[in-house]
Amino acid sequence: MEEENVEISEIFGSKVFNDATQKAHLSHQTYKKLHEIAEKGGRLTKELADEVASAMKDWALANGAAYYAHWFQPLTGVTSEKHNAFLSPQTDGRALAKFSGSELIQGETDGSSFPNGGLRATFEARGYTIWDPASPAFIRNGILCIPTAMMSYTTEALDKRVPLLRSQVALKKQVKRLLSHFGKEPQHVTINVGPEQEFFIILEDDFAKRPDLINCGRTLFGKKPIKGQQLSEHYYGTIRPAVDRFMKEANEKLWELGVPIITKHSEVAPCQHEMAPMYEKGPIAIDHNLLTMSEIKEIAGRHGLTCLLHEKPFDYINGSGKHNNWSLSADGKNLLDPSDTPEENLLFLLVLTCVIAAVDRHQDLLRASIASAANDQRLGADEAPPAIISMFLGDDLYKIVEALLAGEKYTSSDTELLDAGVPMLADAVLGTTDRNRTSPFAFTGNKFEFRMPGSQENLSSCNTVLNTAVAEAFDLCSTEIEKKIAKAESVNGKMSARDKRRAASRFAVAWMKRTLRKHKRILFNGNGYSAAWEKEAKKRGLLNLKTTADALPYLIKEENVLFFNKYHVLDEAEIVARYVAYAEYYASTLSIEASCMIYMTRHYYLPAIQQCSFDIARSVEKKKGLKVAATAETALLKKTTAALASISKAADTLEQLNDNALNKRTPKTLNDAYKNEVLPAMKKLRHEVDAMEEIVGDRYWPVPGYNKLLHFVKASPEKIQIVNVKSDTSY
Ligand code: ADP
Ligand code: MG
């Protein structure tokens, strides 16, 4: 056991230019200055950048990396990188290894080749990648990767990191402002994120046989498997040896990259698994999650396996999500941790209220932030939260909120509130171990868990919305406190600091009650999967944006543009660009799926059904000659013949509708055409082909079906590369 620990501590972060490495490779002054800039911002001088770049290069070369890359998050949802060698040719034909400060700080890309929603036309294509010193550089596959933000020549954000960083600035500022009213002046405010990553693992051999998995990441056809997840045996079940070896190797590679993966287990659906890290500062946790996705895909291949990150690779069983655990801390103290100190309990309730208000006010943006064609397949199916956003507090906390609103036990005096509140709250916390898996946004002891994001999602977008929304609620509360104190002072004269704090508590309690009353509709402890909730939610006026096509237009609503503008997170052009880019992405995803279905139908399924039908016809004919009744065959012949006609027709119709949809000119008409015309046609075609999979023999069927995909035995030995999993001594 001890030996394993030594190994982990040796490999953890060994490929990261982290704090310890920086300390070892930089002068004390440069190290200190770099930290200051990473924490508070500020200008990087050329000298400082040169010293850091040179140290990074030496460290990278010593660790086998001959290249560097600016690593960034365009609007595609994956990460991008362009590799440059540390190479400077000399006049005498030799070359030196070189990496300057300016190459570290800034790179240039072709901004127009990434989705940019019209922000970058091809003739003005310049985009810049700018080093984010708060996220450590790392070596991956022999390349020094430098986390960067991507902006246009005219300083518009072209990526997902810039708005996230801006939202953090806004939230940190508002947290400090609100806490100052209670005599607290934290040096560091941190937004913590812990993303749980779900995924499927299947055999690479099976994957390679299905054009839908290859092109779309999900099966577009497939009849119901004999065995799904009915027996609930897979959740936390033993991990298949092949998969376990893959997970161990993935863990170790991720540990080297400083990703603190601590949990791995089997999930509910067959072949489904989860990995979760220890939470970290938001942008770093998100970088690490993006790295996790890249690594698990790559490493699975070395084990003869394929990792599917799609939200809904298979119908009839659960899809995959990525729970976004979120909390706020000030100088290391979690503001969502209900402690037993009265003063902090007031703060806890206040922070809780702010999050409640934030989620209710911005349901639309939260929904839009995780909207994708793939996630639409998962949300609202009987496995993931519905498309309606609501919040679960747990019974005890909910009662506290209700008591607070009733105002009997809790008067507006802070001491009374806290005296009465503390013991209850402490009890509540102990009792809040119940879970509500059906809730999209649940309080889980000392953090909120946003469960709507899909497994492929880059969590920057939803955290940008969440941070900004909570910043706004803090802002509203502070503004009220400040106004009321100013008013009281104008009547009674200046207050002492102590009196101000007491008054702030009183005003905060009043604000809290009013705010809770206004936003209580978002609280729901019941079953989010039930039809009754959909009705009830409608009564409460909560949004139910079922598809991406319904959700995306909310991005550009005037009030939302003003909201993002007010907190300097996105300006109007940047928001419109995102709307256009995401709408195009939605349409392109569905267009590729439709094309893939048509291709598979014409090149795989129809020939297979035809062959089967032909063989049946021959059998019928032969039996006729022998004067033997062929009742079953004749019925099958009729069915397959009819299916051939209706499947070809369904494919032709889908082709026509896809072509029509592609001609739509505005994001809204484009998306509506896919939602209303193309998707139903896809569904119809699938239904017809799947019905044939029920009756056409396995030997005709051209692709491995669900029974094979979901219940594989083991990877073919020749596919498995020799891997050295350090923490696995058993093989
Ligand atoms: P479960 O599946 O039971 O929800 P897991 O252990 O799989 O729990 O994942 C919980 C995630 O929440 C982990 O990534 C963990 O680090 C993270 N987490 C725990 N505490 C906090 C916190 N205060 N803020 C943000 N994330 C947290
Ligand atoms: Mg978990």
Side-chain angles (χ1 to χ4, degrees):
M1 208 49 210
E2 269 214 11
E3 266 175 27
E4 251 183 43
N5 286 340
V6 171
E7 193 123 272
I8 287 180
S9 66
E10 258 175 35
I11 62 174
F12 190 82
S14 59
K15 297 271 174 73
V16 188
F17 197 66
N18 56 20
D19 197 61
T21 319
Q22 287 171 23
K23 232 181 217 160
H25 286 78
L26 299 171
S27 68
H28 180 63
Q29 248 192 335
T30 303
Y31 166 81
K32 257 184 64 186
K33 187 78 195 146
L34 187 62
H35 262 241
E36 210 179 290
I37 292 173
E39 182 65 32
K40 297 187 187 134
R43 283 252 159 259
L44 278 160
T45 62
K46 185 177 173 328
E47 291 70 35
L48 184 112
D50 278 340
E51 187 188 329
V52 178
S54 168
M56 266 190 192
K57 176 204 70 190
D58 291 344
W59 171 79
L61 288 171
N63 283 281
Y67 298 84
Y68 73 92
H70 278 197
W71 185 76
F72 54 99
Q73 306 172 18
L75 301 182
T76 51
V78 293
T79 54
S80 299
E81 57 199 44
K82 182 177 100 190
H83 305 161
N84 293 304
F86 292 123
L87 188 116
S88 169
Q90 303 296 295
T91 47
D92 62 0
R94 290 182 298 173
L96 290 178
K98 232 189 95 201
F99 184 44
S100 69
S102 53
E103 286 168 317
L104 165 66
I105 295 177
Q106 192 170 318
E108 208 178 308
T109 70
D110 174 1
S112 69
S113 297
F114 293 99
N116 57 63
L119 275 180
R120 299 279 77 202
T122 14
F123 62 87
E124 41 163 22
R126 230 179 306 171
Y128 291 109
T129 50
I130 299 154
W131 177 37
D132 175 5
S135 287
F138 54 88
I139 296 174
R140 183 167 177 254
N141 297 338
I143 293 141
L144 172 71
C145 297
I146 299 155
T148 53
M150 181 162 61
M151 305 199 66
S152 71
Y153 182 64
T154 40
T155 71
E156 282 130 348
L158 294 176
D159 71 351
K160 299 200 175 191
R161 185 193 290 270
V162 172
L164 174 74
L165 296 179
R166 289 177 184 158
S167 75
Q168 288 214 130
V169 172
L171 179 53
K172 287 181 182 185
K173 181 175 151 192
Q174 296 301 338
V175 171
K176 287 185 177 174
R177 179 175 163 216
L178 187 66
L179 291 188
S180 73
H181 298 307
F182 304 98
K184 295 181 186 298
E185 272 159 24
Q187 287 294 304
H188 303 283
V189 173
T190 316
I191 300 141
N192 306 301
V193 172
E196 297 166 56
Q197 179 69 51
E198 291 180 345
F199 53 91
F200 278 84
I201 293 290
I202 60 167
L203 288 186
E204 197 177 39
D205 281 345
D206 291 340
F207 171 82
K209 289 181 187 135
R210 296 205 48 141
D212 47 2
L213 285 175
I214 294 172
N215 289 287
C216 312
R218 73 171 177 118
T219 54
L220 298 166
F221 299 95
K223 76 173 169 73
K224 195 172 178 172
I226 300 168
K227 184 170 142 186
Q229 60 195 45
Q230 304 94 317
L231 302 179
S232 309
E233 69 205 327
H234 199 254
Y235 191 52
Y236 283 16
T238 316
I239 303 175
R240 269 179 260 235
V243 178
D244 198 41
R245 278 197 295 274
F246 141 72
M247 279 176 120
K248 280 182 176 150
E249 195 198 340
N251 271 2
E252 286 170 16
K253 185 91 193 285
L254 288 164
W255 289 339
E256 285 177 357
L257 292 169
V259 184
I261 300 286
I262 45 172
T263 306
K264 63 180 170 68
H265 62 82
S266 295
E267 260 296 334
V268 171
C271 290
Q272 194 185 27
H273 302 276
E274 178 181 307
M275 281 166 100
M278 182 69 193
Y279 66 90
E280 300 177 274
K281 284 180 184 169
I284 295 180
I286 293 167
D287 279 0
H288 283 170
N289 178 254
L290 291 164
L291 271 178
T292 301
M293 291 196 282
S294 303
E295 286 297 339
I296 57 179
K297 282 192 100 152
E298 196 176 308
I299 294 169
R302 293 211 282 270
H303 294 258
L305 304 167
T306 296
C307 171
L308 302 175
L309 286 168
H310 195 281
E311 280 75 4
K312 189 76 178 176
F314 308 99
D315 275 16
Y316 309 107
I317 53 170
N318 279 11
S320 297
K322 173 148 54 200
H323 296 172
N324 186 75
N325 293 275
W326 179 96
S327 71
L328 263 179
S329 50
D331 286 343
K333 161 123 191 46
N334 182 355
L335 297 176
L336 281 169
D337 190 359
S339 83
D340 51 3
T341 351
E343 199 179 344
E344 277 150 356
N345 271 335
L346 169 64
L347 271 182
F348 164 71
L349 288 173
L350 200 54
V351 175
L352 189 79
T353 304
C354 285
V355 182
I356 292 170
V359 173
D360 187 39
R361 289 171 73 96
H362 299 287
Q363 296 162 49
D364 52 353
L365 288 176
L366 277 170
R367 170 70 184 91
S369 75
I370 49 88
S372 67
N375 211 15
D376 286 353
Q377 300 284 338
R378 164 184 167 259
L379 294 178
D382 219 18
E383 66 196 76
I388 308 161
I389 300 210
S390 66
M391 293 173 87
F392 171 80
L393 296 185
D395 284 344
D396 301 320
L397 217 49
Y398 188 73
K399 276 184 202 143
I400 290 176
V401 167
E402 290 213 305
L404 222 136
L405 286 177
E408 291 139 7
K409 284 189 192 157
Y410 307 98
T411 67
S412 54
S413 136
D414 51 341
T415 34
E416 260 185 85
L417 164 82
L418 299 169
D419 278 352
V422 177
M424 264 186 87
L425 197 54
D427 283 345
V429 173
L430 285 176
T432 313
T433 48
D434 58 342
R435 293 182 166 232
N436 186 338
R437 286 275 157 206
T438 69
S439 176
F441 208 105
F443 183 73
T444 46
N446 62 357
K447 61 184 159 66
F448 273 102
E449 191 171 340
F450 184 34
R451 301 199 179 114
M452 283 177 127
S455 45
Q456 304 178 87
E457 192 65 55
N458 174 332
L459 291 176
S460 296
S461 303
C462 68
N463 282 295
T464 299
V465 173
L466 188 55
N467 292 342
T468 315
V470 177
E472 179 194 55
F474 273 55
D475 178 13
L476 292 173
C477 183
S478 285
T479 305
E480 163 127 340
I481 292 173
E482 285 156 21
K483 259 195 204 152
K484 290 221 162 135
I485 287 180
K487 197 169 162 201
E489 283 190 326
S490 75
V491 179
N492 304 319
K494 279 257 170 258
M495 287 185 209
S496 70
R498 189 164 169 269
D499 285 348
K500 258 192 190 171
R501 282 203 299 275
R502 293 174 82 101
S505 297
R506 247 187 352 264
F507 297 141
V509 169
W511 180 84
M512 212 153 73
K513 282 186 175 181
R514 217 176 53 240
T515 306
L516 284 172
R517 203 163 292 127
K518 193 163 159 196
H519 298 290
K520 193 176 161 232
R521 64 171 184 167
I522 197 82
L523 302 179
F524 177 62
N525 279 359
N527 179 7
Y529 296 170
S530 70
W533 168 233
E534 211 174 312
K535 267 198 201 151
E536 165 69 18
K538 193 168 178 196
K539 251 200 253 160
R540 294 189 190 186
L542 298 177
L543 289 171
N544 186 1
L545 306 171
K546 292 200 175 186
T547 70
T548 302
D550 302 315
L552 288 183
Y554 282 82
L555 286 176
I556 51 165
K557 271 186 86 173
E558 193 185 347
E559 67 207 53
N560 287 334
V561 173
L562 290 174
F563 161 70
F564 279 130
N565 253 311
K566 181 170 177 194
Y567 296 97
H568 308 290
V569 172
L570 289 165
D571 66 22
E572 187 169 1
E574 290 168 328
I575 298 167
V576 172
R578 272 157 186 73
Y579 172 50
V580 173
Y582 298 152
E584 279 172 2
Y585 198 83
Y586 173 75
S588 302
T589 306
L590 292 176
S591 168
I592 293 168
E593 289 191 351
S595 303
C596 186
M597 288 187 90
I598 297 160
Y599 172 82
M600 286 179 79
T601 302
R602 291 182 182 157
H603 296 263
Y604 282 63
Y605 297 124
L606 286 175
I609 302 164
Q610 220 164 5
Q611 183 63 54
C612 173
S613 188
F614 179 73
D615 288 351
I616 301 170
R618 280 219 309 226
S619 163
V620 171
E621 201 177 26
K622 260 211 164 117
K623 287 188 176 176
K624 243 189 210 162
L626 296 169
K627 304 229 174 345
V628 178
T631 332
E633 288 98 322
T634 310
L636 271 180
L637 182 60
K638 279 190 184 153
K639 265 194 195 166
T640 48
T641 308
L644 283 169
S646 70
I647 290 174
S648 334
K649 190 162 164 247
D652 293 348
T653 308
L654 178 58
E655 189 172 40
Q656 187 61 52
L657 291 169
N658 190 27
D659 289 347
N660 290 351
L662 279 174
N663 285 328
K664 302 288 180 205
R665 286 282 152 255
T666 68
K668 174 108 178 70
T669 51
L670 179 71
N671 285 359
D672 285 349
Y674 272 97
K675 175 192 146 194
N676 299 324
E677 315 280 335
V678 179
L679 266 171
M682 284 166 62
K683 215 170 161 183
K684 179 168 188 312
L685 177 58
R686 173 174 186 157
H687 180 75
E688 301 218 11
V689 173
D690 289 358
M692 281 298 103
E693 193 183 350
E694 288 285 351
I695 61 171
V696 169
D698 267 3
R699 75 187 165 97
Y700 296 98
W701 208 246
V703 295
Y706 282 15
N707 290 324
K708 167 89 171 64
L709 290 168
L710 295 174
H711 301 288
F712 67 86
V713 186
K714 57 177 165 188
S716 3
E718 71 274 11
K719 285 258 173 183
I720 304 172
Q721 292 173 24
I722 303 298
V723 283
N724 181 15
V725 177
K726 297 181 190 104
S727 58
D728 184 3
T729 47
S730 65
Y731 90 105

